[in-house]
Structure formats: structure tokens, C-alpha cells
Amino acid sequence: MIEEYIECLKNDGVVAYPTDTVYGVCVRFDHQSACEHLRNVKDRPLDKSFPIMVADMEQLEKIAMVKDEDRKLIDKFMPGPITLILNKKSIIESWMNDDKETIAVRMACDDTLKKIIKGLGVPIFMTSANKSGQPVMQTAQEIKEGLEVDMVYEGEPGGEKASTIVDCVNGYKVLRPGIITQQMIDEIIGG
């Protein structure tokens, strides 16, 4: 069954998947046509790049520069409901992140999602299942009716809040609050 989702992603398809936080929609991160497909599904503005989800630390270190302090947060909170803004490595082409110096990275919590990403062989762009500016869709049925995705993985997302976003480039500041708080970040970093 996982093979069907991997095959869909290999062919630039958009898959909806219930993550540890909310339902997300994803595509392979290394094909510009897949990124455009996802952008069209969400009606997402061109200047807003997508977060990247990795299966493990090995994939994360291929795409992002990781400092010692970053590693403390990764060891404590990943995989988990956290997205880190990190400096990109040269493998990240300008179209992947709107030509920024940074990327937003999450690590998959769910074993099935990890297997899908590993089977695909590359990280994925993973973003919330909704049209840009609209509420996140909560169920597979809502997604099937409201978004033009290629496949929907049936399941229950883990929570109602999106992940905490932490800027690790400019002083470990929480940009979007979630379950993980600024105080929790400060305790790990020693802020």
C-alpha cells in the first residue's frame, strides 16, 4: 500500500497525509513541476516557500547547515511538532525556497510517513492541507471535497495546532507558537 503513495510522489503527484500535528499535503522536493503542482493545489503565493520534511538526521544534514545549538533542539524535539529555520546547503536550488538563504525543516514522526519519504529517496515539501489563507482541513473527506490532490492517506492527525516554528538563524526565536514554547527553547539553548 505504501508503494502507491511513493509512486504517486515519484510522478510529481500531491498526497494528503495526517501528520503528528494537522493534515498536510506533500510532494517530492526536488522536482520544480511537483512544487508548482502543490502551489496550484493550495493557491499559494509565489513568494512563500514550502517547509521541507525529512525522514531522519541524515536527510536533514544533506540540505541544511546544523550548528551545535541547533543539534540540541533537534536532539530534544525532533521528530516532533517543531519546524526549524536553518541555513540552507548548496543542494537547495533557488526555486525550492524563493532564493532565500534559509529553509524551514521538519522531521517526520510517523513511521509510515518516514517509510514513504525513505522509499521516495528524497525529502518532501509538506504544508498544511488548505487553500492559502483558509482554515486547515481536518478530515480526509474534507480534503477530497476541497482540494485537488492525487491521493489521500486516511487517518487521524495528531493534534489541532500546527508545529512551532523556530528561527535558528537569528537568535532562536519562536515565529509561530505551537505546543513547544519559547521558554522550552530557551531552556535547551540556555537563552
Side-chain angles (χ1 to χ4, degrees), residues 54-84:
V54 297
D56 53 30
M57 195 63 193
E58 185 184 345
Q59 281 189 344
L60 192 152
E61 289 186 313
K62 282 182 182 169
I63 62 171
M65 293 185 231
V66 181
K67 305 185 300 279
D68 288 343
E69 291 86 355
D70 305 338
R71 203 171 293 281
K72 288 179 189 175
L73 291 182
I74 291 164
D75 290 346
K76 176 70 177 172
F77 298 117
M78 285 187 159
I82 191 167
T83 300
L84 301 181

Side-chain angles (χ1 to χ4, degrees), residues 2 17 55 79 108-119 153:
I2 289 176
Y17 194 93
C109 289
D110 178 286
D111 284 340
T112 303
L113 186 54
K114 281 183 196 172
K115 286 177 187 164
I116 290 170
I117 297 170
K118 281 186 176 277
Y153 193 97

Side-chain angles (χ1 to χ4, degrees), residues 2-116:
I2 289 176
E3 288 70 28
E4 293 172 37
Y5 295 95
I6 294 169
E7 203 54 38
C8 180
L9 291 167
K10 280 184 177 173
N11 292 308
D12 297 347
V14 176
V15 172
Y17 194 93
T19 73
D20 61 310
T21 53
V22 296
Y23 241 111
V25 284
C26 63
V27 295
R28 65 182 305 147
F29 97 119
D30 60 339
H31 284 187
Q32 193 165 1
S33 52
C35 182
E36 286 167 9
H37 187 183
L38 183 58
R39 198 171 290 288
N40 290 337
V41 165
K42 282 189 61 91
D43 291 335
R44 192 167 173 113
L46 285 171
D47 63 348
K48 202 167 176 201
S49 50
F50 292 114
I52 299 170
M53 186 171 275
V54 297
D56 53 30
M57 195 63 193
E58 185 184 345
Q59 281 189 344
L60 192 152
E61 289 186 313
K62 282 182 182 169
I63 62 171
M65 293 185 231
V66 181
K67 305 185 300 279
D68 288 343
E69 291 86 355
D70 305 338
R71 203 171 293 281
K72 288 179 189 175
L73 291 182
I74 291 164
D75 290 346
K76 176 70 177 172
F77 298 117
M78 285 187 159
I82 191 167
T83 300
L84 301 181
I85 308 292
L86 300 167
N87 282 311
K88 68 176 184 179
K89 284 196 172 167
S90 58
I91 190 174
I92 302 295
E93 297 178 46
S94 59
W95 63 264
M96 292 175 168
N97 71 332
D98 193 37
D99 209 21
K100 297 183 187 96
E101 288 304 309
T102 57
I103 53 173
V105 186
R106 279 201 74 194
M107 193 179 291
C109 289
D110 178 286
D111 284 340
T112 303
L113 186 54
K114 281 183 196 172
K115 286 177 187 164
I116 290 170

Side-chain angles (χ1 to χ4, degrees), residues 131-156:
K131 294 281 188 187
S132 282
Q134 298 297 313
V136 176
M137 296 175 181
Q138 302 292 332
T139 65
Q141 192 58 39
E142 235 185 305
I143 292 164
K144 287 174 186 173
E145 291 168 6
L147 289 178
E148 290 180 34
V149 299
D150 298 292
M151 293 185 80
V152 178
Y153 193 97
E154 301 271 349
E156 292 290 322

Side-chain angles (χ1 to χ4, degrees), residues 67 69-70 73 166-168 170-174 182 185 189:
K67 305 185 300 279
E69 291 86 355
D70 305 338
L73 291 182
V166 181
D167 182 347
C168 297
N170 301 299
Y172 299 95
K173 296 284 175 242
V174 171
Q182 183 71 57
I185 299 296
I189 298 299

